């Protein structure tokens, strides 16, 4: 209780000091402090007996047996990868690593597309590419076939004939229907990403954000 009073007192003093922090900064810091206190109190004891984890693991195995091979996690949209991993699961941190120009963004975007097509809500925080560039890539991906692809760079430079433009426009219509939300402002911190994800969760259909890239 004393910590709550102290946090509120700090927020009030910061709010009166008009030359210091912005209102949103004060709100963010106050929320972070209160959330830290809440988490510390709600977590309780950190050490638990191994039997608790064993019971959960056994239930996971039974659930997997009952699914009879059906995917349990969120699909990546890449069947071979889903077979190897079982999909993506809550609380996982998955790192895509590679040298520059090896296709990390393309793969991340392909995974976002696959998960979105399966109906999963996703957030994509882009550091290098703007949202319109990502949309162009997605539309190009929707148009892809081995005989007559509509390439991203061709679309960007306007080198499309009437037939290709029609296909590309149809691909963009599919992009618009994806439950995917993009931020391209850059300069992200863990807290800014957390704050934006919480805000998004309150506004999207179903109130559930399934994955973050």
């Amino acid at each position: 209780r004393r910590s709550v009073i102290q946090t509120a007192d700090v927020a009030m003093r910061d709010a009166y000091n008009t030359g210091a922090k912005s209102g949103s900064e004060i709100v963010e810091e106050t929320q972070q402090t209160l959330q830290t206190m809440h988490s510390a109190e709600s977590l309780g004891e950190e050490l638990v007996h191994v039997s608790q984890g064993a019971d959960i693991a056994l239930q996971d195995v039974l659930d997997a047996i009952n699914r009879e091979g059906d995917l349990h996690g969120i699909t990546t949209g890449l069947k071979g990868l889903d077979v190897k991993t079982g999909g993506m699961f809550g609380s996982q941190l998955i790192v895509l690593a590679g040298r520059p120009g090896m296709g990390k963004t393309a793969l991340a975007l392909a995974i976002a597309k696959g998960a979105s097509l399966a109906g999963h809500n996703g957030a994509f925080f882009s550091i290098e590419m703007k949202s319109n560039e990502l949309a162009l890539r997605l539309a190009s991906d929707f148009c892809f076939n081995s005989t007559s692809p509509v390439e991203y760079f061709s679309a960007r430079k306007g080198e499309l004939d009437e037939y290709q433009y029609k296909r590309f426009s149809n691909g963009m219509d599919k992009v618009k229907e994806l439950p995917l939300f993009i931020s391209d402002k850059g300069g992200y911190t863990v807290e800014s990403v957390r704050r934006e994800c919480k805000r998004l969760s309150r506004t999207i259909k179903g109130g559930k954000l399934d994955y973050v890239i």
Side-chain angles (χ1 to χ4, degrees):
R1 288 178 182 270
R2 285 195 298 269
S3 296
V4 172
I5 293 170
Q6 183 179 3
T7 301
D9 190 42
V10 170
M12 186 170 64
R13 288 202 307 268
D14 286 344
Y16 275 115
N17 185 3
T18 56
K21 305 170 185 175
S22 68
S24 60
E25 288 174 327
I26 297 171
V27 170
E28 180 179 342
E29 290 179 2
T30 305
Q31 286 179 334
Q32 182 179 350
T33 304
L34 293 173
Q35 183 61 43
T36 300
M37 286 190 292
H38 174 70
S39 299
E41 187 171 328
S42 61
L43 283 175
E45 297 180 357
E46 295 183 5
L47 290 171
V48 296
H49 192 265
V50 68
S51 59
Q52 292 191 29
D55 289 338
I56 295 173
L58 187 59
Q59 186 59 52
D60 288 342
V61 172
L62 289 173
D63 291 341
I65 293 173
N66 293 330
R67 287 193 302 275
E68 298 180 346
D70 291 341
L71 187 67
H72 174 47
I74 297 174
T75 180
T76 63
L78 306 170
K79 292 183 179 180
L81 187 57
D82 284 345
V83 169
K84 294 289 186 181
T85 63
M88 303 180 290
F89 297 85
S91 79
Q92 278 189 327
L93 172 65
I94 301 170
V95 180
L96 301 178
R99 298 190 304 275
M102 295 298 290
K104 298 184 296 295
T105 299
L107 177 56
L109 202 57
I111 291 173
K113 174 193 169 191
S116 296
L117 285 173
H120 300 290
N121 296 315
F124 195 110
F125 291 83
S126 176
I127 296 175
E128 299 173 345
M129 302 185 70
K130 293 295 183 181
S131 59
N132 60 311
E133 294 177 292
L134 295 172
L136 280 172
R137 285 201 175 197
L138 284 169
S140 178
D141 198 24
F142 272 116
C143 297
F144 178 80
N145 63 55
S146 57
T147 57
S148 179
V150 180
E151 296 181 355
Y152 162 73
F153 287 108
S154 296
R156 190 175 182 183
K157 292 187 291 185
E159 297 175 352
L160 303 180
D161 58 29
E162 185 176 348
Y163 172 68
Q164 288 175 320
Y165 175 77
K166 185 175 181 179
R167 287 177 53 206
F168 191 81
S169 179
N170 289 336
M172 196 62 80
D173 287 339
K174 294 178 181 178
V175 172
K176 294 177 183 179
E177 296 174 358
L178 296 176
L180 180 63
F181 302 83
I182 296 174
S183 174
D184 60 8
K185 67 179 182 179
Y188 306 112
T189 65
V190 173
E191 283 306 319
S192 68
V193 170
R194 187 201 307 272
R195 183 183 69 249
E196 191 62 16
C197 288
K198 286 183 177 180
R199 185 199 64 78
L200 181 60
S201 295
R202 293 194 297 267
T203 59
I204 58 178
K205 184 178 180 181
K208 184 173 183 287
L209 185 59
D210 297 300
Y211 67 95
V212 180
I213 296 178

